[in-house]
């Protein structure tokens, strides 16, 4: 059954029957997601669920379609086929119908980027204030009231700074608050991007390779931050990551993609022992891979940027 | 030769052959350029045209070029002494010769000046400046050889200067404003100076307006003058056709220009950088050509004349006598003089410009202003934060255009006559140059740049033919040394620790 007909018939994907690996209530349900660019099928009929207050990792070799899944979820692409249902406190949002900036504005899906996208010439604090744009825009009476320096806007801005301060403290960036974001060390920039996403007060946080380029100590700090967000804020986190120490260390649930198809779905333990995953990362036995590459293991599996995905 | 400098660290032996080759190449290039440009000159003679041959000038140019190149090579190879020893006396000699008229009286002066290689005094002064610069550089590297500044050092230093000026601007701003306010009553403020003042303030206002679009929102707009034109024509047509007064027509003209801005904004929403610049350039030309060809409506190339002057807030007019209503001088019991109107105009444009400035300072600290800056930095990230890029860009275009519209109305009422000729691309380029030269987003930078680019050339009208040359040269130098503008230092819109902490943190 093709994804199109499956969606048309309203059939639930067999992948979605049964409880979510890693536990929790379903927050995001992805059904029959397919994305084609002309003749190229970047994602082919992928279905999975992500639970709230759990960390769901999407992993896979380069070009597997991970970032494309993210772009569909966050409104950067409109999926060719598929239903992306987000269970939001305000009701259910169908993300495939929401496009562009509204995904973040209305549905509360925040994301970070594989190649850091901060506002480099603005200060760290300003980055976090810009993230609260929509809230402040309403408070400033869409600029008109703010121009006259109304108290309501000043209070809203103070609150925004408080929220920013909270996340600065959490991401150990308080001291750097008045520095230009572009001058921060790489690891700080990564954490600032997470803080900025959190300042939009999202319901679902999508992180695209947050640990890329971090040293072991920095990725340990990041792990703690993500666990804090999950446990204290009960927030669902969707994570693309190549760094297996991060993925295996903090994920509750792992979805493995390869060539745009889902090849495995389960707890870290299940995925680690899944022959399909080992095949995708280490190659087939009969293909006679050179020994060196096999020894490298999934940890080092291709850190370079996914041009095809981006 | 290296031994003469003494302190020079490991000076490489001089490769004379390479040096002569390089200098020769320079001479060849200059010869190729100068042969055509300098070598011949057409003269109007009775009954036709004649050619004057100036091969002496060509030779002089080539020799000066070669010598200059050699001096530069020596400086590069850390041998400043010979350069210093030749350029310093040369500079003195040249200076004496140029000033001979004043030093030794006109006759000896004229005698001495005959020895100068070029006839044109401006060229000689330019050469003198080059020689002095060379001498100063040589003297500098002679005294402290190792202190070659790297590009980063220089940038950092310039940025610190920019930051200092901006900090000083907080105190300097009110002082400048005070000067501007008392300016019309200063004893030397005659009509010509006031006119220059009005012109400069008009361009300051336009620069501040364009700064919103280019400096804050990062949308390179090469057709800004189109909105200026829309404002001017809206005002002129309303005032002459429907007899609407200045104070009623002004907001309407701003509104029309803002609509034009939004109208332009829509199709170019997806364009960035160069592409956006080209479309806005085209838009600017379109507006001008429409104004030129829509004869029934805009009176085409004949322009609109008889645009009424603004009244004193509708209470009195600036005329010697009127049949009804009041005149300004009678109202205040003054002697009639036409300068009253000029002074009023000056205050009018000053007030308009201040509105733009206050607005910009305010809006920078509002969500829209921050969103503009964020959009300039990264549009994709903005979308991921739920910022509506379309509305944000359109507000920037609209507000920037509105201020141009106000300035346009002022221009129309000041001139009393407008035609499409006033709104050519060069105007856009000058306004953009003011913003670029001053430093994107810098308010005080725009003031300084407007004074430099508009005020100074007005004073030196005598050197008109060299004006554009100097203008171009200044732009090239800025691009080389300070690509972000003279005072490109961005002051954060909000701080967590206040200003004091920031200063402590700085080394």
């Amino acid at each position: 059954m093709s994804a199109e007909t499956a969606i048309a018939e309203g059939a639930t994907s067999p992948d979605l029957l049964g409880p979510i690996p890693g536990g929790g209530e379903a927050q995001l349900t992805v059904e029959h997601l397919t994305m084609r660019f002309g003749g190229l099928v970047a994602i082919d009929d992928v279905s999975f669920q992500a639970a709230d207050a759990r960390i769901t990792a999407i992993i896979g070799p380069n070009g597997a379609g991970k970032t494309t899944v993210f772009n569909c979820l966050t409104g950067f692409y409109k999926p060719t086929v598929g239903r992306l249902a987000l269970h939001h406190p305000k009701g259910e949002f169908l993300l495939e119908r929401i496009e562009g900036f509204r995904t973040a504005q209305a549905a509360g899906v925040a994301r970070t980027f594989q190649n850091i996208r901060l506002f480099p010439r603005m200060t760290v604090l300003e980055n976090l204030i810009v993230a609260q744009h929509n809230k402040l825009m309403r408070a400033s009476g869409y600029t008109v009231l703010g121009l006259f320096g109304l108290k309501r806007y000043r209070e809203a801005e103070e609150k925004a700074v408080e929220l920013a301060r909270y996340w600065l403290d959490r991401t150990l960036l308080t001291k750097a608050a008045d520095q230009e974001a572009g001058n921060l060390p790489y690891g700080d920039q990564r954490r600032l991007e997470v803080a900025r996403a959190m300042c939009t007060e999202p319901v679902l946080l999508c992180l695209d390779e947050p640990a890329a380029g971090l040293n072991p100590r920095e990725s340990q700090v990041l792990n703690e931050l993500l666990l804090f967000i999950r446990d204290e804020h009960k927030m669902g986190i969707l994570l693309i990551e190549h760094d297996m120490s991060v993925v295996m260390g903090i994920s509750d649930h792992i979805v493995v993609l390869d060539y745009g198809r889902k090849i495995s779905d389960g707890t870290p333990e299940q995925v680690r022992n899944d022959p399909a995953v080992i095949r995708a990362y280490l190659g087939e036995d009969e293909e006679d891979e050179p020994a060196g590459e096999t020894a490298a293991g999934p940890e080092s599996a291709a850190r370079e940027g996914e041009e095809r995905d981006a | 030769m290296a031994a003469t400098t003494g302190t020079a660290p490991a000076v490489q032996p001089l490769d004379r052959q390479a040096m002569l080759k390089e200098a020769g190449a320079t001479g060849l290039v200059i010869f190729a350029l100068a042969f055509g440009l300098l070598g011949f000159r057409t003269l109007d003679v009775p009954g036709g045209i004649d050619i004057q041959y100036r091969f002496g000038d060509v030779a002089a140019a080539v020799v000066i070029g070669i010598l200059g190149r050699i001096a530069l090579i020596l400086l590069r190879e850390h041998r400043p002494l010979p350069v210093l020893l030749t350029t310093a006396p040369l500079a003195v000699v040249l200076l004496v010769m140029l000033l001979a008229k004043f030093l030794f009286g006109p006759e000896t002066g004229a005698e001495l000046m005959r020895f100068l290689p070029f006839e044109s005094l401006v060229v000689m002064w330019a050469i003198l400046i080059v020689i002095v610069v060379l001498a100063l550089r040589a003297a500098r590297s002679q005294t402290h050889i190792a202190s070659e500044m790297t590009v980063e050092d220089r940038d950092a230093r310039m940025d610190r200067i920019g930051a200092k000026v901006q900090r000083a601007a907080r105190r300097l701003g009110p002082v400048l404003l005070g000067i501007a306010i008392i300016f019309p009553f200063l004893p030397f403020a005659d009509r010509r100076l006031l006119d220059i003042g009005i012109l400069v303030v008009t361009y300051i206002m336009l620069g501040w307006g364009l700064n919103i679009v280019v400096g804050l929102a990062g949308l390179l707009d090469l057709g800004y003058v189109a909105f200026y034109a829309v404002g001017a024509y809206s005002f002129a047509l309303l005032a002459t056709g429907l007899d609407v007064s200045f104070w009623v027509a002004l907001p309407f003209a701003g509104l029309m220009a803002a609509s034009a801005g939004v109208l332009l904004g829509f199709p170019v929403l997806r364009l960035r950088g160069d592409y956006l610049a080209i479309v806005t350039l085209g838009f600017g030309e379109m507006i001008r050509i429409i104004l030129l060809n829509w004869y029934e409506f805009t009176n085409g190339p004949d322009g609109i004349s008889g645009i009424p002057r603004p009244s004193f807030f509708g209470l009195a007019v600036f005329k010697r006598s009127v049949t009804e209503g009041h005149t300004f001088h009678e109202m205040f019991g003054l002697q009639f003089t036409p300068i009253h109107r000029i002074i009023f105009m000056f205050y009018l444009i000053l007030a308009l410009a201040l509105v733009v400035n206050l607005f910009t300072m305010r809006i920078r600290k509002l969500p829209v202003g921050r969103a503009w800056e964020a959009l300039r930095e990264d549009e994709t990230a903005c979308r991921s934060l739920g910022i509506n890029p379309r509305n944000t860009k359109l507000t920037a275009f609209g507000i920037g255009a509105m201020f141009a519209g106000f300035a346009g109305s002022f221009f129309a009422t000041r001139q009393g006559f407008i035609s499409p000729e006033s709104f050519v691309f060069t105007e856009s380029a000058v306004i953009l140059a003011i913003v670029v030269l001053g430093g994107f987003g810098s308010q005080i930078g725009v003031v300084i740049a407007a004074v430099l680019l508009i005020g100074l050339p007005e004073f030196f009208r005598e050197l008109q033919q060299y004006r554009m040359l100097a203008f171009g040269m200044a732009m090239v130098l800025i691009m080389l040394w300070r690509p972000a503008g003279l005072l490109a230092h961005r002051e954060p819109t909000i701080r967590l620790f206040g200003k004091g902490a920031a200063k402590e943190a700085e080394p």
Side-chain angles (χ1 to χ4, degrees):
Chain A
M1 186 161 50
S2 80
E4 279 94 341
T5 52
I7 284 283
E9 287 166 19
T12 313
S13 165
D15 295 352
L16 301 179
L17 300 172
I20 305 168
E25 288 294 310
Q27 185 183 23
L28 175 74
T29 309
V30 175
E31 282 180 86
H32 302 294
L33 176 63
T34 301
M35 182 78 211
R36 294 196 197 97
F37 298 103
L40 178 82
V41 184
I43 311 172
D44 188 8
D45 198 10
V46 168
S47 303
F48 67 91
Q49 282 188 316
D52 70 348
R54 294 287 189 282
I55 296 178
T56 307
I58 303 178
I59 65 169
N62 277 341
K66 306 183 294 289
T67 301
T68 312
V69 172
F70 261 39
N71 283 341
C72 291
L73 282 174
T74 52
F76 281 84
Y77 294 156
K78 195 170 170 53
T80 320
V81 184
R83 175 175 298 144
L84 311 165
L86 178 75
H87 309 284
H88 189 284
K90 280 190 249 165
E92 197 176 71
F93 284 91
L94 292 177
L95 295 180
E96 79 274 11
R97 301 207 181 144
I98 312 175
E99 257 187 294
F101 68 94
R102 290 206 173 76
T103 314
Q105 193 184 44
V109 178
R111 73 170 290 179
T112 67
F113 295 87
Q114 195 172 353
N115 32 7
I116 303 175
R117 283 182 176 276
L118 291 169
F119 306 121
R121 281 177 57 213
M122 300 175 86
T123 67
V124 170
L125 181 64
E126 282 175 313
N127 268 273
L128 300 185
I129 300 288
V130 167
Q132 304 173 51
H133 176 79
N134 290 308
K135 193 174 67 184
L136 288 173
M137 201 66 183
R138 277 192 298 279
S140 75
Y142 298 90
T143 309
V144 182
L145 299 178
L147 273 180
F148 300 103
L150 241 65
K151 202 172 161 216
R152 198 178 100 194
Y153 172 66
R154 282 207 308 275
E155 281 169 4
E157 198 182 56
E158 270 163 32
K159 277 209 186 107
V161 172
E162 256 168 54
L163 180 66
R165 172 113 204 197
Y166 173 80
W167 283 109
L168 284 173
D169 288 342
R170 287 291 139 214
T171 48
L172 314 174
L173 290 169
T174 318
K175 271 191 184 154
D178 293 335
Q179 275 182 33
E180 275 185 17
N183 291 343
L184 291 185
Y186 191 79
D188 291 358
Q189 293 197 10
R190 283 270 178 219
R191 284 204 307 284
L192 176 58
E193 224 191 354
V194 176
R196 188 179 65 180
M198 287 308 295
C199 273
T200 63
E201 296 167 89
V203 296
L204 177 69
L205 182 63
C206 301
L207 304 174
D208 197 345
E209 295 199 30
L214 299 189
N215 64 33
R217 205 174 50 80
E218 287 171 328
S219 53
Q220 189 53 41
V221 174
L222 183 80
N223 281 2
E224 281 159 21
L225 174 66
L226 297 187
L227 290 174
F228 169 82
I229 292 172
R230 179 190 74 180
D231 297 336
E232 296 296 313
H233 289 264
K234 302 288 174 226
M235 174 137 353
I237 298 178
L238 215 55
L239 178 76
I240 292 178
E241 191 48 72
H242 278 301
D243 187 332
M244 287 302 150
S245 68
V246 174
V247 172
M248 294 299 168
I250 63 171
S251 322
D252 303 297
H253 170 197
I254 297 180
V255 176
V256 190
L257 300 183
D258 191 20
Y259 292 110
R261 288 176 163 278
K262 187 170 89 170
I263 57 169
S264 183
D265 188 343
T267 61
E269 202 51 43
Q270 290 165 343
V271 166
R272 201 199 304 262
N273 299 321
D274 191 332
V277 178
I278 297 170
R279 210 163 38 240
Y281 268 97
L282 305 181
E284 310 254 4
D285 282 346
E286 50 281 75
E287 273 183 30
D288 244 347
E289 290 287 331
E293 231 180 282
T294 322
E299 273 84 350
S300 66
R303 286 276 188 95
E304 311 94 82
E306 290 162 290
E307 295 304 311
R308 208 179 94 192
D309 272 5
Chain B
M1 212 192 284
T4 55
T5 55
T7 51
V11 173
Q12 301 285 318
L14 192 65
D15 187 351
R16 274 158 213 278
Q17 213 178 349
M19 180 177 85
L20 289 177
K21 222 164 138 185
E22 201 179 324
T26 309
L28 213 64
V29 170
I30 293 181
F31 177 75
L33 283 173
F35 186 73
L37 294 174
L38 274 179
F40 308 96
R41 185 181 182 195
T42 50
L43 288 178
D44 280 325
V45 288
I49 230 167
D50 199 9
I51 292 178
Q52 184 191 17
Y53 300 96
R54 300 191 296 184
F55 295 130
D57 284 7
V58 177
V62 170
V63 170
I64 289 173
I66 290 175
L67 290 178
R69 185 83 227 182
I70 290 177
L72 280 179
I73 295 168
L74 287 174
L75 279 180
R76 193 181 63 202
E77 304 289 333
H78 305 292
R79 284 176 179 77
L81 199 62
V83 179
L84 185 61
L85 289 180
T86 32
T87 48
L90 197 61
V92 175
V93 169
L94 258 180
L95 192 65
V96 168
M97 280 167 84
L98 280 168
L99 295 178
K101 242 193 309 194
F102 308 102
L103 294 175
F104 314 116
E107 277 160 44
T108 340
E111 194 68 25
L112 271 174
M113 275 191 182
R114 280 198 9 234
F115 293 103
L116 292 174
F118 293 103
E119 245 177 81
S120 161
L121 284 183
V122 178
V123 174
M124 283 320 298
W125 277 106
I127 290 174
L128 177 64
I129 290 170
V130 171
I131 291 176
V132 168
V133 168
L134 277 175
L136 286 179
R137 274 188 62 178
R140 226 188 101 81
S141 71
Q142 177 68 25
T143 45
H144 32 344
I145 286 212
S147 76
E148 284 279 303
M149 261 202 291
T150 61
V151 178
E152 288 81 33
D153 286 345
R154 203 173 57 205
D155 277 356
R157 203 171 72 163
M158 284 301 284
D159 195 63
R160 275 203 295 282
I161 294 173
K164 265 191 203 133
V165 173
Q166 294 226 317
R167 240 170 258 146
R170 211 164 287 254
R171 262 162 278 145
L172 199 69
V175 175
L176 281 179
L177 180 61
I179 294 175
I181 287 173
I182 57 166
F183 172 69
F185 299 108
L186 294 176
F188 56 84
D190 53 359
R191 179 161 182 171
R192 173 164 165 266
L193 267 180
L194 271 173
D195 272 337
I196 292 177
I198 290 174
L199 196 69
V200 169
V201 180
T202 311
Y203 276 95
I204 290 176
M205 177 175 174
L206 286 169
W208 278 340
L210 184 62
N211 216 345
I212 294 175
V213 186
V214 180
L216 291 183
L219 303 163
L220 186 53
D221 187 349
L222 288 182
Y224 195 59
V225 81
F227 309 122
Y228 190 48
V230 169
Y233 267 86
S234 305
F235 174 80
L237 289 171
L238 276 176
T240 56
L242 299 174
D243 213 16
V244 180
S245 88
F246 176 79
W247 299 102
V248 179
L250 183 71
F252 189 79
L255 205 69
M256 286 296 289
S259 318
V262 173
L263 212 68
L264 163 70
F266 259 110
V268 301
L269 276 172
R270 284 157 189 276
L271 301 178
R272 296 182 199 188
D274 310 353
Y275 304 100
L276 178 69
I278 290 168
V279 175
T280 52
L281 176 84
F283 182 79
E285 285 301 285
M286 264 163 59
I287 294 281
R288 189 177 64 85
I289 288 168
I290 289 172
L291 293 177
L292 205 57
N293 288 295
W294 195 0
Y295 196 86
E296 303 77 38
F297 188 58
T298 65
N299 219 11
D302 302 343
I304 301 173
S305 55
I307 302 166
R309 307 296 190 169
S311 59
F312 185 69
F313 305 110
L315 298 174
V317 290
F318 295 95
K319 277 182 186 160
R320 191 179 291 278
S321 60
V322 283
T323 47
E324 54 180 308
H326 303 281
T327 59
F328 179 77
H329 62 282
E330 280 169 359
M331 199 167 150
F332 290 90
L334 299 167
Q335 197 75 39
F336 174 79
T337 141
I339 204 117
H340 285 156
R341 188 170 56 81
I342 310 285
I343 293 177
F344 178 69
M345 287 287 199
F346 180 78
Y347 282 135
L348 182 61
I349 187 66
L350 194 64
L352 283 173
L354 281 178
V355 167
V356 181
N357 188 25
L358 286 178
F359 182 88
T360 313
M361 308 252 266
R362 258 272 147 81
I363 208 158
R364 258 198 81 203
K365 301 186 184 217
L366 287 175
V368 184
R370 295 204 185 103
W372 284 341
E373 291 201 69
L375 208 64
R376 175 192 71 201
E377 300 284 302
D378 197 322
E379 190 175 331
T380 310
C382 277
R383 283 205 292 165
S384 83
L385 298 175
I387 295 173
N388 185 337
R390 185 191 62 211
N391 290 1
T392 313
K393 275 189 191 177
L394 288 184
T395 13
F397 265 121
I399 289 174
M402 180 179 74
F403 289 135
F406 288 152
S409 319
F410 174 81
F411 176 77
T413 190
R414 179 176 96 104
Q415 300 289 97
F417 166 78
I418 52 169
S419 74
E421 250 167 68
S422 309
F423 308 105
V424 289
F425 168 67
T426 332
E427 290 295 311
S428 287
V430 168
I431 303 167
L432 188 67
I434 288 174
V435 176
V436 173
L437 192 73
F440 291 117
S442 165
Q443 298 292 92
I444 192 86
V446 166
V447 176
I448 294 171
V451 170
L452 283 178
L453 287 188
I454 308 297
L456 284 187
E458 286 299 318
F459 277 109
F460 297 110
R461 273 215 172 266
E462 298 78 39
L463 305 177
Q464 204 170 15
Q465 32 174 340
Y466 300 100
R467 222 153 53 128
M468 288 320 270
L469 190 72
F471 190 89
M473 215 138 87
M475 290 311 273
V476 170
L477 288 180
I478 285 284
M479 284 302 123
L480 276 176
W481 284 330
R482 194 88 180 115
L486 281 176
L487 294 177
H489 168 78
R490 188 182 170 278
E491 196 59 31
T493 59
I494 190 166
R495 282 175 185 277
L496 195 57
F497 299 119
K499 293 210 66 117
K503 258 179 213 162
E504 274 167 40
E506 272 172 29

